[in-house]
């Protein structure tokens, strides 16, 4: 998951947008979004980054 988080930060904006689009197609996406914890400092959740990281280990879950 750490590697996916680092990789997400390195993506070009167009590649990041396409990755986000593809992640949203996964049937597990709503559950991934629901599982994102609130940040302790009450900052907005980074849904795209968190779901990208979750998607990186999706194959391990099936």
């Amino acid at each position: 998951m750490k590697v996916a988080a680092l990789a997400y930060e390195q993506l070009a904006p167009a590649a990041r947008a396409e990755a986000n689009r593809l992640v949203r197609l996964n049937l597990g996406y709503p559950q991934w979004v629901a599982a994102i914890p609130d940040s302790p400092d009450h900052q907005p959740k980074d849904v795209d980054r968190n779901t990208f990281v979750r998607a990186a280990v999706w194959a391990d879950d099936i």
Side-chain angles (χ1 to χ4, degrees), residues 6-54:
L6 292 170
Y8 186 79
E9 300 304 323
Q10 298 297 314
L11 290 173
R16 188 179 295 179
E18 179 64 5
N20 293 336
R21 184 187 73 77
L22 293 171
V23 166
R24 288 184 196 110
L25 296 175
N26 190 292
L27 296 177
Y29 182 80
Q31 291 83 18
W32 297 344
V33 172
I36 299 171
D38 291 328
S39 62
D41 57 358
H42 304 291
Q43 293 296 313
K45 298 177 184 181
D46 189 348
V47 173
D48 291 334
R49 181 176 181 273
N50 280 287
T51 54
F52 178 88
V53 170
R54 186 69 190 101

